[in-house]
């Protein structure tokens, strides 16, 4: 177990010796040079504790050493505050050391210049900046975490206000990051320190309780360790067994989750069994399960299915020698080192080379995510949520595995496989059966995603999906659509309004006025300007006033007219381009219109609208049986919006002979027509008949008829009706 405690007396000689412990050929002079450089740069500076400043970078380097980091990382750790706090430049470091070290230190300086505020949104923004800094070199973040670790270790010298602020920030940003990077030793310690400053009464009560039974527990741990070791050696398995109390924060989390007091928490002990190879891991598990009673449902195989951060281990809980529940983790030495130091394990010095090309899929993914996600809090969510709450394992038809959250749907799985698969998902087969998108997946399910080129996400999907990854992707798509729509509206409104001034967008672009207009209206891009007009934040009047080449005196009269004109224009244009309103309600703007689910009217159907209480206007077919005569008094004339790109769900039921393959034949034919199957449900009927109800998206009535006719032509299909 790695410990990161603050060492007041630490000196460079001790540090060098520790480095040589795992890296005998280390370039001692290079490290010594970095130390001398930092000591000189920080000369005269003191920490809040009264100690010389150099103790801080020295301790940070020591933390990196205990994680067995490479020499450049340790050197960068020694130098990490020199640009920020001293008269040292990037150039100085590049010259005295090398460009790689200089780049890392610059990265750290940039991070430390992020202004931390307490609002959740700005925390998320800060988090994004940290992620961006990882893009260049992930060691920047590892050093930053070590820096934060040492600052948390010496937090007692700060004011109470600062303690709270730092602890909160650590819990919000650095703990999730350490978790995601798999640096568990660091994460656990950071959490405990956060608890100590944020909930001192709980922390010290826990500390006291743990200390109270310490000797009793220590002897229990010793006995259990030797019992387990004995059992293993009976089968000639040589293992290193260790026991410890769990971290305070994890005990605290358990207490909170179960709503119980400390005395009621049973399994506060964790044991670790380290063996030589994977085969021995499973062998050890078998021996332990046959020697102690395992608790059902507590076994987890993270060796076969590693966690997102590459964590591997077998977990089980058994009834220990004294009928107390104990948690046991079984893993190899290598897995243990990844579990303790996560991503840092890849930077270890190995056989004369530092492995730089370690592929970290999730880091790449996060970086990609960072580029695409507009909303910062979504990014933070993606890191925090998807991670802690995994729980079910889902298989692809080819046998690949994805870990998802409990209650995830096929749609979540589709997004986990690939964003594009998510966007195009129309349905899924779970264990070879068609299911609706809302279906809740269970561990062990084999899921095959059905896609269609014409499919695209809808707002409803946000209510279906469970994982934040899928949620962000959908939100992001919807936002992009919304933005594109507003650009179209903005452009049309602007073009028409500018005609009043005998000018046009093109003329303004040619006149070179655009940069001045953008600056005066605080927009970055021309598109932002159009979006502003589209949503009504920016009026054409404002643009005309901001254009240097238009002489205001000459157009003053027209300016007053233009405002009311462009407002009207915006409403009409928005209505015309509306994607939400498939139906135009006579004489009413911006009224909420819903197509009633009972009859699912589609263009071509004869329709009528009814005013509902609080839910806008509900549109039915004129022949709908759900509409009662009393409703007629609330009716309003409505018509189909010809401009609307229609895609409307309608359900169709096919009754077939129960022949294998008939269902897939039907879905193939529908997909072949470029029609979306939104959901599908198959059922066996008596007399070897089958019923297949599916929801498709159609443009209009004629398309629906085409679908019905086509399905009717499939062999063994008895009847097809719209339901
Ligand atoms: Mn620092």
């Amino acid at each position: 177990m790695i410990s990161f405690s603050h060492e007041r007396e630490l000196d460079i000689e001790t540090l060098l010796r520790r480095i040589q412990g795992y890296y005998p050929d280390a370039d001692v002079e290079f490290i010594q040079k970095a130390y001398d450089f930092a000591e000189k740069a920080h000369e005269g500076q003191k920490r809040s504790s009264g100690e010389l400043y150099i103790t801080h970078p020295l301790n940070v380097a020591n933390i990196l050493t205990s994680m067995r980091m490479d020499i450049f990382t340790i050197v960068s750790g020694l130098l990490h505050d020199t640009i920020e706090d001293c008269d040292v430049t990037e150039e100085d470091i590049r010259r005295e050391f090398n460009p790689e070290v200089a780049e890392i230190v610059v990265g750290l300086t940039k991070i430390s210049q992020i202004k931390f505020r307490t609002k959740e949104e700005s925390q998320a923004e800060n988090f994004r900046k940290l992620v961006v800094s990882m893009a260049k070199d992930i060691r920047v973040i590892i050093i930053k975490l070590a820096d934060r670790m040492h600052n948390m270790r010496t937090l007692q010298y700060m004011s109470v206000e600062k303690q709270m602020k730092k602890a909160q920030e650590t819990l919000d940003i650095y703990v999730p990051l350490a978790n995601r990077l798999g640096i568990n030793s660091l994460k656990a310690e950071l959490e405990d320190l956060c608890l100590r400053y944020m909930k001192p009464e709980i922390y010290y009560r826990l500390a006291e309780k743990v200390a109270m039974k310490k000797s009793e527990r220590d002897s229990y741990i010793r006995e259990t360790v030797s019992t387990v070791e004995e059992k293993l050696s009976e089968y000639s398995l040589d293992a290193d067994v260790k026991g410890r109390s769990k971290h305070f924060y994890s005990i605290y989390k358990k207490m909170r989750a179960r709503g119980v007091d400390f005395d009621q928490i049973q399994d506060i002990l964790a044991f670790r069994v380290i063996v030589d190879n994977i085969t021995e891991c499973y062998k050890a598990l078998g021996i332990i399960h046959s020697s102690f009673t395992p608790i059902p449902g507590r076994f987890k195989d993270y060796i076969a299915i590693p966690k997102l951060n590459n964590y591997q281990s077998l977990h089980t809980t058994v009834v220990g020698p004294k009928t107390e529940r104990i948690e046991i983790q079984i893993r190899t030495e290598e897995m243990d080192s990844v579990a303790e130091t996560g991503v840092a394990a890849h930077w270890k010095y190995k056989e004369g080379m530092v492995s730089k090309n370690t592929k970290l899929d999730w880091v790449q993914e996060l970086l990609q995510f960072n580029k695409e996600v507009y909303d910062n809090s979504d990014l933070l969510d993606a890191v925090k949520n998807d991670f802690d709450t995994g729980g079910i394992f889902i298989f692809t038809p080819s046998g690949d595995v994805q870990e998802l959250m409990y209650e995830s749907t096929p749609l979540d799985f589709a997004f986990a496989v690939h964003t594009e698969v998510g966007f195009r998902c129309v349905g899924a087969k779970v264990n070879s059966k068609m299911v609706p998108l809302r279906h809740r997946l269970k561990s062990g399910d084999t899921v095959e995603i059905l896609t269609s080129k014409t499919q695209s996400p809808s707002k409803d999907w946000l209510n279906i999906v469970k994982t934040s990854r899928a949620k962000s992707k959908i939100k992001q798509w919807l936002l992009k659509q919304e933005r594109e729509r507003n650009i179209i509206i903005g452009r049309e409104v602007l073009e028409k309004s500018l005609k009043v001034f005998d000018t046009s967008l093109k003329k303004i672009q040619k006149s070179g006025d655009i940069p001045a207009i953008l600056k005066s209206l605080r927009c970055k891009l021309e598109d932002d300007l159009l979006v502003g007009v589209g949503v009504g934040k920016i009026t054409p009047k404002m643009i005309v006033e901001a254009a240097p080449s238009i002489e205001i005196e000459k157009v003053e009269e027209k300016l007053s007219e233009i405002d009311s004109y462009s407002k009207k224009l915006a409403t009409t244009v928005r209505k015309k381009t509306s994607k939400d309103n498939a139906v135009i309600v006579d004489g009413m703007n911006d009224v909420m219109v819903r197509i009633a689910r009972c009859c699912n009217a589609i263009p071509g159907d004869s329709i009528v609208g009814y005013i509902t209480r609080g839910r806008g206007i509900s549109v039915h077919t004129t022949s709908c049986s759900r509409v009662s005569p009393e409703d007629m008094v609330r009716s309003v004339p409505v018509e189909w919006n010809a401009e609307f790109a229609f895609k409307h769900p309608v359900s169709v039921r096919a009754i077939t002979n129960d022949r294998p393959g008939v269902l897939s034949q039907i879905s193939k034919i529908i997909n072949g027509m470029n029609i979306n199957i939104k959901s599908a449900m198959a059922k066996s009927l008596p007399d070897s008949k089958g019923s297949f109800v599916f929801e498709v998206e159609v443009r209009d009535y004629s398309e629906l008829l085409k679908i019905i006719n086509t399905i009717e032509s499939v062999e063994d299909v008895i009847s097809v009706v719209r339901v």
Side-chain angles (χ1 to χ4, degrees):
M1 187 85 11
I2 295 176
S3 161
F4 298 115
S5 55
H6 170 57
E7 294 181 41
R8 199 172 262 276
E9 308 296 330
L10 183 67
D11 54 27
I12 184 65
E13 288 74 26
T14 313
L15 185 75
L16 288 173
R17 232 179 302 120
R18 286 177 187 168
I19 296 167
Q20 284 171 314
Y22 66 91
Y23 183 9
D25 303 330
D27 186 349
V28 172
E29 269 168 43
F30 193 63
I31 304 166
Q32 179 74 48
K33 186 179 169 190
Y35 174 80
D36 294 340
F37 185 93
E39 190 182 36
K40 190 154 168 271
H42 290 294
E43 199 164 21
Q45 295 175 356
K46 289 220 164 121
R47 298 213 89 207
S48 309
S49 60
E51 292 164 279
L52 288 177
Y53 196 90
I54 191 69
T55 56
H56 169 62
L58 195 56
N59 267 279
V60 170
N62 187 49
I63 291 169
L64 296 165
T65 302
S66 57
M67 288 157 70
R68 302 189 161 208
M69 294 299 291
D70 64 292
I71 301 306
F72 286 2
T73 307
I74 290 165
V75 163
S76 305
L78 286 168
L79 299 173
H80 81 271
D81 277 332
T82 54
I83 295 184
E84 171 81 3
D85 296 340
C86 318
D87 288 332
V88 171
T89 64
E90 178 181 355
E91 202 31 56
D92 293 337
I93 295 182
R94 183 167 301 140
R95 194 185 53 241
E96 294 293 323
F97 300 92
N98 61 42
E100 203 173 320
V101 169
E103 191 141 310
I104 294 174
V105 178
V106 166
L108 285 155
T109 311
K110 279 193 188 142
I111 294 177
S112 66
Q113 281 159 351
I114 299 173
K115 289 271 175 295
F116 286 104
R117 281 164 290 175
T118 42
K119 266 170 58 196
E120 199 196 315
E121 199 187 345
S122 21
Q123 293 284 41
E125 172 65 30
N126 296 337
F127 185 77
R128 171 183 291 242
K129 288 179 183 155
L130 290 180
V131 170
V132 171
S133 73
M134 290 196 301
K136 285 203 173 143
D137 196 325
I138 198 147
R139 290 176 295 180
V140 170
I141 289 297
I142 295 171
I143 299 169
K144 184 66 204 172
L145 285 167
D147 177 37
R148 175 52 61 115
M149 183 74 239
H150 184 245
N151 285 334
M152 286 299 290
R153 269 280 171 194
T154 51
L155 203 58
Q156 70 264 39
Y157 303 109
M158 296 282 185
S159 67
V160 172
E161 195 184 300
K162 254 201 166 152
Q163 288 175 350
M164 292 302 277
K165 202 179 143 201
K166 286 277 168 197
Q168 185 69 55
E169 194 180 282
T170 302
L171 204 57
D172 284 345
I173 293 180
Y174 294 99
V175 167
L177 204 54
N179 186 27
R180 195 86 211 234
L181 291 169
I183 313 176
N184 286 330
S185 48
L186 219 145
K187 176 204 160 223
E189 190 131 5
L190 281 177
E191 279 179 336
D192 277 7
L193 284 163
C194 289
L195 188 67
R196 171 169 157 198
Y197 289 101
M198 295 173 70
K199 298 238 177 337
E201 51 326 315
I202 292 173
Y203 178 87
Y204 287 109
R205 240 187 75 217
L206 279 172
E208 199 184 310
K209 295 252 188 190
V210 169
M212 226 165 59
K213 296 180 178 172
K214 194 173 183 322
S215 61
E216 189 186 321
R217 194 167 29 250
D218 281 352
S219 65
Y220 178 76
I221 289 175
R222 265 197 311 277
E223 276 170 43
T224 308
V225 164
S226 64
T227 312
V228 172
E229 268 173 344
E230 259 167 49
K231 291 281 177 199
L232 293 174
S233 71
E234 273 173 34
Y235 295 86
S236 54
L237 196 62
D238 191 20
D240 184 13
V241 184
K242 283 180 217 143
R244 57 170 176 93
S245 295
K246 286 182 185 167
H247 284 275
F248 293 167
Y249 194 83
S250 66
I251 300 174
Y252 165 66
K253 261 207 312 214
K254 219 167 242 181
M255 281 167 60
R256 230 181 27 176
R258 297 187 198 161
V260 298
D261 200 51
F262 180 84
D263 298 315
Q264 293 163 274
I265 287 283
Q266 287 294 308
D267 39 352
I268 64 161
L269 296 182
F271 292 84
R272 192 166 294 163
V273 177
I274 308 287
V275 290
D276 280 342
N277 52 51
I278 291 180
T279 317
E280 286 187 3
C281 288
Y282 290 102
K283 198 172 162 195
L285 178 78
I287 296 166
I288 287 165
H289 275 186
S290 61
S291 312
F292 309 98
T293 312
I295 309 288
R298 295 290 296 267
F299 169 62
K300 283 207 171 141
D301 187 346
Y302 291 114
I303 290 180
I305 302 160
K307 286 196 192 183
L308 276 171
N309 58 11
N310 295 336
Y311 175 89
Q312 286 191 296
S313 189
L314 299 177
H315 286 191
T316 187
T317 303
V318 299
V319 180
K322 281 190 183 157
T323 70
E324 209 178 48
R325 282 180 176 204
I326 53 171
E327 199 177 288
I328 299 180
Q329 302 169 343
I330 306 163
R331 50 175 91 142
T332 65
E333 192 89 50
E334 164 105 38
M335 291 172 193
D336 192 48
S337 126
V338 171
E340 290 277 306
T341 57
V343 73
H346 300 286
W347 282 97
K348 278 180 189 175
Y349 178 81
K350 269 180 210 154
E351 292 149 19
M353 261 188 73
V354 167
S355 55
K356 268 191 198 172
N357 304 328
T358 313
K359 246 186 139 189
L360 288 161
D361 292 345
W362 79 262
V363 174
Q364 291 312 322
E365 191 180 292
L366 200 61
L367 293 172
Q368 187 58 34
F369 210 47
N370 174 58
K371 275 189 212 149
E372 292 167 359
V373 177
Y374 298 116
D375 190 347
N376 288 316
S377 49
D378 282 348
L379 184 69
L380 190 54
D381 274 357
V383 171
K384 274 188 179 170
N385 298 347
D386 267 0
F387 203 68
D388 279 337
T389 33
I392 55 173
F393 297 108
I394 305 299
F395 294 84
T396 67
S398 58
D400 289 335
V401 185
Q402 293 274 354
E403 188 176 5
L404 291 177
M405 288 166 73
Y406 285 108
E407 303 191 327
S408 285
T409 64
L411 207 46
D412 288 295
F413 181 69
F415 277 100
V417 171
H418 195 279
T419 306
E420 210 49 38
V421 175
F423 285 162
R424 305 282 168 240
C425 176
V426 288
K429 281 187 191 167
V430 172
N431 307 325
S432 309
K433 280 204 186 90
M434 288 287 280
V435 297
L437 288 180
R438 282 183 182 280
H439 181 85
R440 298 261 166 91
L441 298 174
K442 287 193 302 291
S443 217
D445 279 348
T446 297
V447 180
E448 183 188 345
I449 298 295
L450 307 175
T451 59
S452 157
K453 274 183 207 149
T454 55
Q455 176 70 314
S456 60
S458 76
K459 255 186 196 155
D460 305 342
W461 284 16
L462 290 173
N463 302 322
I464 296 177
V465 296
K466 192 81 189 162
T467 51
S468 45
R469 181 197 160 86
K471 240 177 217 152
S472 316
K473 293 284 183 192
I474 295 165
K475 267 193 206 162
Q476 176 192 329
W477 195 90
L478 293 171
L479 277 173
K480 204 172 148 226
Q481 291 297 306
E482 183 68 19
R483 184 177 161 87
E484 275 163 17
R485 188 183 153 219
N486 281 320
I487 289 175
I488 293 169
I489 296 171
R491 177 168 287 130
E492 188 163 346
V493 169
L494 195 57
E495 286 292 11
K496 285 197 172 143
S497 307
L498 289 175
K499 270 190 194 151
V500 178
F501 299 96
D502 296 322
T503 184
S504 68
L505 193 53
K506 227 180 202 160
K507 278 186 191 160
I508 292 185
Q509 282 164 339
K510 270 194 187 154
S511 72
D513 280 353
I514 297 289
I517 296 172
L518 291 180
K519 201 176 166 216
S520 131
L521 298 173
R522 291 159 201 253
C523 291
K524 267 191 202 152
L525 308 168
E526 206 176 307
D527 275 355
D528 298 337
L529 205 63
L530 296 176
V531 170
V533 175
V535 300
K537 257 196 203 154
I538 295 172
T539 62
K541 184 182 167 201
M542 290 157 75
I543 293 177
V544 169
E545 283 172 337
S549 68
I550 298 178
E551 290 173 49
I552 293 297
E553 301 82 54
K554 286 189 183 163
V555 294
E556 203 138 39
E557 266 175 44
K558 288 174 182 170
L559 275 180
S560 51
E561 289 168 38
I562 191 71
D563 236 12
S564 62
Y565 172 66
S566 61
K567 247 178 227 152
K568 261 187 225 153
L569 205 59
T571 316
T572 330
V573 174
R574 195 169 299 136
K575 199 164 127 191
K576 210 178 82 184
T577 55
S578 172
K579 285 189 176 155
D580 302 323
N581 283 357
V583 172
I584 297 170
V585 182
D586 211 26
M588 277 186 248
N589 294 328
D590 280 346
V591 64
M592 192 162 82
V593 177
R594 253 174 359 101
I595 308 283
R597 296 290 290 178
C598 49
C599 52
N600 261 335
I602 55 173
D605 283 335
S606 154
I607 49 172
V608 58
Y610 296 98
I611 300 166
T612 63
R613 255 174 244 112
R615 296 180 69 192
I617 286 170
S618 150
V619 173
H620 295 259
T621 61
T622 44
S623 60
C624 178
S625 57
R626 284 285 189 87
V627 180
S628 63
E630 295 95 272
D631 290 329
M632 300 305 271
V633 292
R634 295 183 282 112
S635 72
V636 282
V638 289
E639 57 175 308
W640 293 107
N641 179 359
E643 301 288 333
F644 182 73
F646 207 87
K647 261 203 319 196
H648 198 85
V650 49
S651 288
V652 174
R653 182 197 295 128
I655 304 290
T656 67
N657 286 323
D658 204 1
R659 165 174 66 82
V662 64
L663 296 190
S664 74
Q665 206 177 338
I666 293 175
S667 24
K668 225 183 253 165
I669 278 187
I670 299 173
N671 279 325
M673 294 168 75
N674 256 342
I675 306 255
N676 289 340
I677 300 182
K678 293 239 328 176
S679 68
M681 194 72 99
K683 213 165 66 183
S684 286
L685 299 176
D687 306 324
S688 343
K689 302 259 187 307
S691 148
F692 185 42
V693 178
F694 53 91
E695 208 182 10
V696 285
E697 281 185 333
V698 295
R699 266 195 312 276
D700 55 24
Y701 192 61
S702 68
E703 193 170 56
L704 175 66
L705 281 181
K706 208 171 105 197
I707 295 173
I708 290 179
N709 287 336
T710 313
I711 299 171
E712 268 174 345
S713 68
V714 174
E715 201 191 328
D716 282 315
V717 169
I718 300 164
S719 69
V720 184
V721 286
R722 176 178 172 186
V723 288

